[in-house]
Amino acid sequence: MESTGDSFPVLDMAKLAAGDERPQAMALLRDACENWGFFELVNHGVSLELMDEVERLTKAHYVERREEKFRDFAREALATKRPDELAEVDWESTFFLRHLPVSDVSYTPGMDDDYKAAMGEFGKAVEKLAETMLELMDENLGLEKGYLKAAFRGSEGLPTLGTKVSSYPPCSRPELVKGLRAHTDAGGVILLFQDDQVSGLQLLKDGRWVDVPPMKHAIVVNLGDQLEVITNGKYKSVLHRVVAQIDGNRMSIASFYNPGADAVIYPAPALVKANEEEEEEEEKEIEMYPKFVFEDYMKLYIEKKFEAKEPRFKAMKAMETLNAHPISTT
Ligand SMILES: O=C(O)CCC(=O)C(=O)O
Ligand SMILES: [Fe+2]
């Protein structure tokens, strides 16, 4: 499908839920998934009061617990690193929380009880929203309802859900260092609550970096490598980066709804079949995505996050062949 426009896709969840405008909203979602890999949600059902609370507590946490350490790191980096070394640095202050399969929020050091409670609640809200998005994608892809959610379940019957809490403090040399270097996300659905004042997030579209516009109380969604594999390339994970800013401290709270560690990931057979039918007339060049265990992909991703995804898919494909024909050791 042709892209319906050049403006960043903004979707109204109320319209996706029901009513006369639902078909158009679903078409917009389909276009966003196929041609952008990114979109912004309004009326998403996450409590706006909770978002305000999370923002207030996150900004306070940076000032109280992280700012000094970041300033030391920043001073040292600018004073001692060569430009080629700075190109390998991310100008961000970050910590991680896990929500699923087991939450570690209450054990995370350096968080007050009210911050822990707010982040625990936020984790539940984004879990629900991610699952709603997966169901809407099932529908758009012609998969049975619940297919994608089930594909993300590991043996414990759960996905992995974690939140990366980040601040991108002001940077005096944004021409030398990125807030976060370009990458695609490894996992499934990523829900991002970003600062509504300070911009910086960009995605690569048709060879050009496009801003993801800050919008108060909106949630940005992007698709990771696993959805690209499961949809057999119908949806694509898209390169994105954060540009460091001279002024302002950008907050970003990114929740990663990913497969369970031992979930087996592979293209949905219904979508492989659809592709084969479509391409029958053409030269037989069907993109063959691999089948693998999610944690094996993550091991590779941790080493190669800032490299292209295609060699990662190729490496998993090679591993699949190796597993199918194990070398005899007896
Ligand atoms: O902070 C952001 O806006 C994006 C973060 C991100 O892309 C990531 O952590 O993978
Ligand atoms: Fe990312």
Side-chain angles (χ1 to χ4, degrees):
M1 181 176 163
E2 287 294 302
S3 176
T4 50
D6 285 334
S7 54
F8 189 86
V10 178
L11 295 166
D12 183 341
M13 287 290 281
K15 291 183 184 167
L16 285 167
D20 293 350
E21 293 179 72
R22 188 168 192 270
Q24 279 139 279
M26 287 299 280
L28 206 60
L29 173 65
R30 179 185 301 121
D31 181 64
C33 289
E34 292 183 3
N35 297 311
W36 288 81
F38 264 86
F39 50 89
E40 213 147 350
L41 288 177
V42 296
N43 285 325
H44 42 61
V46 178
S47 149
L48 305 186
E49 292 74 31
L50 176 62
M51 291 178 82
D52 289 342
E53 178 82 342
V54 163
E55 176 166 357
R56 184 178 67 77
L57 293 167
T58 297
K59 289 185 170 173
H61 183 269
Y62 176 74
V63 173
E64 285 158 24
R65 306 271 180 174
R66 292 181 282 132
E67 185 166 27
E68 199 179 320
K69 192 164 158 228
F70 184 82
R71 279 180 196 274
D72 291 345
F73 153 81
R75 197 179 309 114
E76 163 100 12
L78 287 184
T80 63
K81 289 191 191 295
R82 297 187 309 262
D84 61 316
E85 292 170 323
L86 282 173
E88 308 274 296
V89 166
D90 299 312
W91 197 264
E92 60 169 6
S93 161
T94 288
F95 70 98
F96 290 90
L97 298 170
R98 193 180 59 214
H99 308 289
L100 291 173
V102 182
S103 171
D104 68 1
V105 175
S106 57
Y107 312 107
T108 304
M111 291 174 80
D112 298 337
D113 287 346
D114 51 353
Y115 193 25
K116 287 178 179 170
M119 291 312 292
E121 208 185 316
F122 187 75
K124 290 205 175 72
V126 290
E127 177 189 347
K128 195 166 152 233
L129 180 56
E131 291 181 350
T132 303
M133 294 321 297
L134 288 178
E135 268 191 12
L136 294 170
M137 290 176 206
D138 286 336
E139 189 179 332
N140 265 342
L141 289 161
L143 296 169
E144 71 190 77
K145 188 171 171 177
Y147 183 93
L148 291 173
K149 181 177 170 185
F152 279 59
R153 263 181 228 145
S155 60
E156 292 170 273
L158 291 168
T160 308
L161 178 65
T163 294
K164 178 186 167 203
V165 181
S166 310
S167 298
Y168 297 92
C171 176
S172 59
R173 304 299 303 275
E175 74 285 10
L176 291 179
V177 52
K178 289 279 169 296
L180 180 61
R181 289 163 284 161
H183 64 282
T184 65
D185 290 338
V189 180
I190 299 86
L191 302 171
L192 172 72
F193 171 18
Q194 65 165 346
D195 205 285
D196 68 330
Q197 300 294 323
V198 185
S199 60
L201 179 61
Q202 297 182 326
L203 65 98
L204 193 66
K205 185 169 195 307
D206 306 327
R208 296 200 350 232
W209 289 104
V210 177
D211 287 327
V212 177
M215 195 188 291
K216 192 161 176 70
H217 289 146
I219 290 188
V220 178
V221 180
N222 73 289
L223 312 181
D225 296 347
Q226 305 313 302
L227 270 182
E228 177 164 338
V229 173
I230 296 171
T231 65
N232 198 35
K234 199 159 178 65
Y235 294 173
K236 298 228 166 42
S237 62
V238 164
L239 271 177
H240 54 283
R241 67 182 188 186
V242 179
V243 177
Q245 306 291 317
I246 290 191
D247 295 312
N249 187 353
R250 175 172 181 270
M251 176 199 78
S252 112
I253 298 171
S255 297
F256 298 82
Y257 186 102
N258 289 355
D262 63 358
V264 179
I265 302 300
Y266 55 93
L271 298 179
V272 175
K273 230 170 102 205
N275 266 9
E276 278 169 1
E277 280 161 15
E278 257 172 45
E279 299 186 19
E280 229 163 30
E281 304 294 307
E282 297 167 25
E283 268 176 65
K284 260 235 165 324
E285 210 190 320
I286 298 158
E287 224 170 330
M288 289 295 288
Y289 284 90
K291 179 175 185 176
F292 52 83
V293 176
F294 179 60
E295 65 188 344
D296 290 338
Y297 190 86
M298 283 313 279
K299 279 183 204 147
L300 187 67
Y301 182 81
I302 287 164
E303 311 256 299
K304 300 192 184 292
K305 170 170 173 174
F306 298 108
E307 295 176 27
K309 64 189 162 184
E310 290 79 9
R312 296 199 291 266
F313 292 150
K314 276 209 179 104
M316 298 320 289
K317 191 82 199 163
M319 210 159 131
E320 181 188 321
T321 316
L322 202 66
N323 288 342
H325 309 282
I327 297 160
S328 172
T329 50
T330 52

